Amino acid sequence: MAKTIVQEFTKGLWDEIPPFRLVLGLCPTLAVTKSVENGIGMGVAFTFVLLCSNILVSALRKVIPPKVRIACFIIIIATFVTVVELLMQAYTYKLFLQLGIFIPLIVVNCIVLGRAEAFASKKGIAASFADAMGMGIGFTLALTALAAFREILGAGTFTLGNIAGWILSLVGIGTLDLWSSPLQVFGPSFQPFQFMIEAPGAFVCLGLMLCIMNLFKK
Amino acid sequence: MREMIKMVVVLTVLSAFSGGLLAAIKNGTQDQIENQQLKFVKGPAITAIFEGASNDPLADRFKLKADGREISFFVGTFDGRANAVAFESFGKGYGGELGVMVGVNLTDDKIVGVGITTHSETPGVGSRAKSEPGFAAQFKGQSIKQAFKVKLDGGQVDAVSGATFTSRGVSAALSDAGKVYQDLKPQLADKIKSFTK
């Protein structure tokens, strides 16, 4: 049963939302979701890489010899990851410092390689584009949700950051200054639940999220 | 055989294309990246060292070669005269390389200020060398023309408690900076004149 382009796009948002339904790409999901800003930044970088690699793999799918396809995919992915790394260093340096090693690690993220292998190398460019957009946005949403949960409980703040803040201020909601600085959610007397920010908290939050997702699914 | 050749050709073309693209982007973003590093990594240390300077030390800078590497010097203007330089020196800390920005007054060879730029020390232990202002402040006013050693090694530097390795790294970086400074002093004095406006 062939899916339409729209279905290829929307499946990444819920049915196959990467960290929760596919349970793939957990390393950055757990590690960078300490603040909403990091979550969104990671999601955007990831979406860019996935989009570019999916389109290129799909365009070259008839040229790439099957025996060396993984090597070809990795070259393509690694190239775009390095591009993202350089661009982030040049334009969003603070975010680059916070995400650190997890930007280069997108190379070995199994969602990107998985989409190239399982989807883009078999389907047309339009479908691959829709698939990458859906998966990328789904990944970003998942990271943002997880990060919001952890940051609000763990630090009592909500930091949307420069990228999303810039978009929102363009639309006319709030100003860039408002969104790029941490918003106090609970007021000054809030005692942060530090556990949520630390690594074990990430696992607990992810587990709770999976649980909620499964409840909805039933 | 044909398949073999195709594999080699595809991989080669792909790699060449990738290399070309990356080189182009690296070239294009180089200046911007350098600016960002100046602003976020070295900037805060330099601004703190040259507090009260009448110029913009980040804009007034020049490069000199020493020990086979290029060092950036930032100029500080006080009382209308450009008479201080700041530059970065490196030492070995507990967790790797430790960058120390040191400002020196050319008139009396004394340290104007010291600030840690980059480090990978243990958070809460070695990192206090950067966050505790008292540690860096002890160097202010001391002559740069001496070997710096922590007290444990028979020197004069008060180490950050529990972070002897880090303190040794900072001391080594300062001693090294002293050598570079003395080697380059004639050139520095010459270069800096052009920054007095």
Side-chain angles (χ1 to χ4, degrees):
Chain A
M1 192 179 69
K3 283 182 178 163
T4 64
I5 299 283
V6 177
Q7 280 170 326
E8 296 293 7
F9 174 70
T10 51
K11 73 169 193 285
L13 299 182
W14 183 260
D15 285 340
E16 293 178 26
I17 187 165
F20 296 149
R21 288 249 79 94
L22 301 179
V23 201
L24 283 179
L26 290 186
C27 168
T29 308
L30 294 170
V32 306
T33 52
K34 283 180 188 168
S35 78
V36 179
E37 182 178 17
N38 288 3
I40 294 175
M42 185 72 205
V44 171
F46 172 87
T47 308
F48 174 82
V49 172
L50 184 61
L51 208 55
C52 295
S53 75
N54 248 17
I55 290 172
L56 203 61
V57 166
S58 173
L60 295 177
R61 68 186 188 281
K62 299 211 171 79
V63 186
I64 294 173
K67 278 186 187 161
V68 288
R69 63 181 195 285
I70 301 290
C72 292
F73 297 163
I74 290 290
I75 292 177
I76 293 171
I77 296 166
T79 307
F80 288 118
V81 169
T82 318
V83 169
V84 166
E85 207 188 341
L86 286 171
L87 289 179
M88 286 186 82
Q89 225 171 327
Y91 298 103
T92 56
Y93 195 76
K94 265 190 174 160
L95 192 62
F96 168 79
L97 287 185
Q98 275 173 356
L99 295 180
I101 186 70
F102 295 101
I103 293 297
L105 276 181
I106 299 177
V107 178
V108 288
N109 190 310
C110 40
I111 305 172
V112 185
L113 186 60
R115 291 335 281 177
E117 163 76 9
F119 196 92
S121 64
K122 299 190 179 81
K123 300 272 170 66
I125 294 181
S128 300
F129 176 82
D131 176 71
M133 269 316 246
M135 286 287 163
I137 292 173
F139 188 76
T140 310
L141 286 179
L143 251 61
T144 310
L146 196 59
F149 194 63
R150 287 180 68 193
E151 195 190 338
I152 288 174
L153 287 178
T157 59
F158 184 82
T159 325
L160 206 49
N162 283 328
I163 299 176
W166 181 68
I167 296 171
L168 275 184
S169 62
L170 275 189
V171 187
I173 309 167
T175 57
L176 183 57
D177 287 343
L178 173 74
W179 294 120
S180 57
S181 55
L183 299 173
Q184 293 294 334
V185 180
F186 296 112
S189 59
F190 173 69
Q191 285 290 320
F193 184 24
Q194 201 117 53
F195 172 74
M196 283 301 182
I197 291 287
E198 278 154 27
F203 282 95
V204 172
C205 288
L206 183 71
L208 287 174
M209 286 274 183
L210 285 176
C211 166
I212 295 169
M213 291 284 292
N214 282 338
L215 274 180
F216 273 111
K217 190 81 180 168
K218 274 186 179 159
Chain B
M1 194 58 202
R2 266 201 54 147
E3 203 193 339
M4 189 77 182
I5 293 170
K6 196 185 168 195
M7 279 197 265
V8 173
V9 169
V10 169
L11 274 176
T12 313
V13 171
L14 211 54
S15 310
F17 172 74
S18 149
L21 179 71
L22 289 182
I25 291 185
K26 190 163 173 66
N27 256 335
T29 52
Q30 207 166 26
D31 291 344
Q32 178 72 16
I33 291 177
E34 201 175 323
N35 280 340
Q36 296 268 321
Q37 278 171 345
L38 273 181
K39 195 170 154 201
F40 288 107
V41 182
K42 296 181 187 166
I46 296 170
T47 321
I49 289 170
F50 285 151
E51 211 189 332
S54 57
N55 67 332
D56 176 11
L58 286 180
D60 292 346
R61 59 174 199 260
F62 58 92
K63 282 179 179 172
L64 282 179
K65 272 212 158 111
D67 296 343
R69 67 188 177 107
E70 214 165 45
I71 306 177
S72 290
F73 289 88
F74 303 89
V75 180
T77 305
F78 293 94
D79 305 325
R81 268 189 66 220
N83 53 0
V85 288
F87 58 102
E88 204 176 16
S89 180
F90 296 93
K92 206 183 162 316
Y94 187 69
E97 204 175 50
L98 196 74
V100 180
M101 183 64 70
V102 49
V104 187
N105 191 327
L106 279 164
T107 337
D108 54 6
D109 301 330
K110 280 184 176 157
I111 294 178
V112 185
V114 167
I116 313 289
T117 48
T118 51
H119 71 89
S120 37
E121 303 305 291
T122 321
V125 186
S127 71
R128 296 210 315 275
K130 183 174 183 170
S131 55
E132 272 181 13
F135 177 69
Q138 64 175 305
F139 299 108
K140 202 171 175 174
Q142 294 203 37
S143 168
I144 187 83
K145 291 177 165 178
Q146 57 177 322
F148 288 90
K149 269 184 179 170
V150 291
K151 280 190 175 149
L152 199 72
D153 301 335
Q156 72 285 52
V157 177
D158 271 323
V160 178
S161 58
T164 310
F165 271 98
T166 311
S167 312
R168 273 185 191 141
V170 175
S171 310
L174 285 175
S175 306
D176 203 42
K179 278 183 212 132
V180 171
Y181 171 76
Q182 291 185 52
D183 284 351
L184 292 179
K185 190 166 181 202
Q187 296 178 54
L188 284 174
D190 192 41
K191 274 258 187 195
I192 207 169
K193 278 181 201 152
S194 61
F195 288 97
T196 304
K197 276 156 206 149

